[in-house]
């Protein structure tokens, strides 16, 4: 076993949706540092171009390219697929990270919040994946499968609404869909796994992670005592996308600091001395 190359991604091409900010940005940097050519897409094409410029300035082994891409509609998915086809003839890694959320209290949660959130988080993710299958198959071998990494959430694992009902339900769907696709695509040498993150610094969680004081307060409610860091995402991506993850499919990695195993207080707590 060559430890030096276990997590190297030289010669690999990756697409990350929602790649300009948050978890997508974290993943993009580690993949570039590992040697991959990383395509970054989001609705804000200028932001993706700016991030690509930053990553290319690192002097790392890989490179980055940024452009606009919207998975919130069928037309947007088709345009993104066409753009990826124009840039490469095979794809080794697809990270479905683009996401939407909506918050409102129970009793006031609007119907349209379901259409928007499920459209991006589930329908867009699925449609993009199936339309990129020819490129993923072209980049896959039995010894080195193509990799799909879907970004779910710990809120899709645990009974947590927190006013984001459609978001939580959509992430539960992402996790289940990842397992279905893992089963169906294994014969094509394509692995499908999911991340189930807890709180990380991102545009979506800015209300709770925007400054050090707020992050520390949020971290107190996480069993491991902090919010997630860049290396927490980076380590998962290097494992799943590198040689070490070649024999793993259908897994859900709980990058949530232990929130995934929180089950409430000890039922005998009041009886204990």
């Amino acid at each position: 076993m060559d430890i030096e190359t276990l997590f190297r991604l030289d010669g690999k091409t990756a697409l990350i949706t929602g790649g300009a900010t948050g978890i997508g940005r974290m993943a993009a940097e580690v993949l570039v540092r590992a040697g991959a050519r990383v395509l970054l897409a989001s609705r804000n094409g200028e932001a993706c171009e700016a991030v690509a410029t930053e990553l290319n300035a690192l002097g790392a082994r890989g490179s980055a390219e940024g452009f606009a891409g919207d998975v919130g509609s069928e037309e947007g998915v088709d345009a993104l697929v066409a753009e990826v086809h124009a840039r490469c003839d095979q794809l080794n890694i697809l990270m479905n990270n683009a996401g939407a959320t909506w918050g409102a209290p129970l009793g006031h949660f609007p119907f349209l919040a379901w259409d928007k959130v499920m459209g991006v988080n589930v329908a867009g993710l699925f449609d993009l994946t199936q339309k990129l299958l020819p490129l993923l198959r072209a980049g896959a071998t039995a010894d080195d499968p193509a990799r799909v990494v879907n970004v779910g959430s710990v809120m899709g694992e645990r009974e947590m609404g927190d006013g984001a009902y459609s978001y939580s339900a959509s992430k539960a769907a992402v996790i289940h869909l990842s397992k279905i696709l893992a089963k169906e695509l294994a014969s094509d040498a394509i692995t499908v796994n999911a991340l189930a993150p807890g709180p990380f610094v991102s545009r979506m969680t800015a209300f709770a992670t925007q400054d050090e004081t707020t992050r520390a307060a949020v971290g107190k409610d996480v069993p491991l005592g902090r919010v997630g860091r860049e290396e927490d995402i980076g380590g998962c991506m290097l494992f799943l996308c590198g040689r070490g993850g070649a024999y793993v499919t259908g897994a859900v990695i709980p990058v949530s600091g232990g929130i995934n195993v929180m089950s409430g207080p000890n039922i005998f707590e009041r009886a204990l001395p």
Side-chain angles (χ1 to χ4, degrees):
M1 180 184 299
D2 186 353
I3 299 298
E4 293 298 318
T5 61
L6 191 58
F7 302 116
R8 292 183 68 157
L9 299 173
D10 300 80
K12 304 293 185 185
T13 300
L15 170 65
I16 301 177
T17 63
T21 61
I23 286 174
R25 171 64 173 78
M26 297 175 197
E29 180 166 339
V30 75
L31 295 189
V32 167
R33 289 187 181 277
R37 175 193 179 196
V38 181
L39 310 180
L40 305 173
S42 77
R43 289 183 299 170
N44 190 337
E46 291 184 358
C48 288
E49 291 175 7
V51 169
T53 299
E54 294 173 6
L55 296 179
N56 288 329
L58 295 174
R61 293 198 309 274
S63 63
E65 303 167 30
F67 49 90
D70 183 7
V71 298
S73 67
E74 185 176 6
E75 295 75 18
V77 170
D78 288 342
L80 177 53
V81 170
E83 182 68 29
V84 175
H85 271 278
R87 291 173 181 262
C88 60
D89 57 9
Q90 67 176 41
L91 194 62
N92 307 104
I93 299 163
L94 168 61
M95 184 183 193
N96 285 306
N97 170 70
T101 189
W102 194 298
L106 187 63
H108 300 276
F109 200 83
F111 187 90
L112 61 88
W114 288 93
D115 185 51
K116 175 184 176 181
V117 173
M118 297 296 284
V120 173
N121 296 2
V122 184
L125 176 152
F126 177 83
D127 198 41
L128 180 65
T129 302
Q130 71 172 354
K131 288 175 178 174
L132 288 176
L133 283 178
L135 290 182
L136 289 165
R137 291 184 178 115
T141 67
D143 289 332
D144 191 8
R147 321 297 168 89
V148 177
V149 180
N150 295 326
V151 179
S153 169
V154 70
M155 294 179 72
E157 287 192 298
R158 305 299 302 167
E159 301 79 4
M160 302 168 67
D162 292 354
Y165 300 102
S166 56
Y167 177 82
S168 296
S170 75
K171 293 303 184 177
V174 167
I175 288 171
H176 191 61
L177 185 58
S178 297
K179 296 177 182 179
I180 293 171
L181 292 176
K183 176 182 177 181
E184 295 185 353
L185 295 177
S187 60
D188 288 332
I190 300 172
T191 68
V192 184
N193 296 289
L195 302 180
F200 278 80
V201 178
S202 71
R203 184 175 57 189
M204 190 177 291
T205 63
F207 70 95
T209 61
Q210 58 188 332
D211 56 64
E212 188 173 340
T213 300
T214 308
R215 288 195 295 274
V218 171
K220 289 180 180 179
D221 290 327
V222 177
L224 288 181
R226 63 173 175 84
V227 300
R229 300 172 182 150
E230 291 183 12
E231 56 266 31
D232 300 319
I233 292 297
C236 289
M237 290 301 292
L238 288 180
F239 166 62
L240 291 175
C241 299
R243 181 63 188 87
Y247 202 52
V248 177
T249 193
V252 180
I253 299 184
V255 203
S256 62
I259 297 175
N260 57 300
V261 290
M262 291 174 64
S263 58
N266 188 322
I267 61 174
F268 301 114
E269 184 174 0
R270 297 184 184 278
L272 297 175

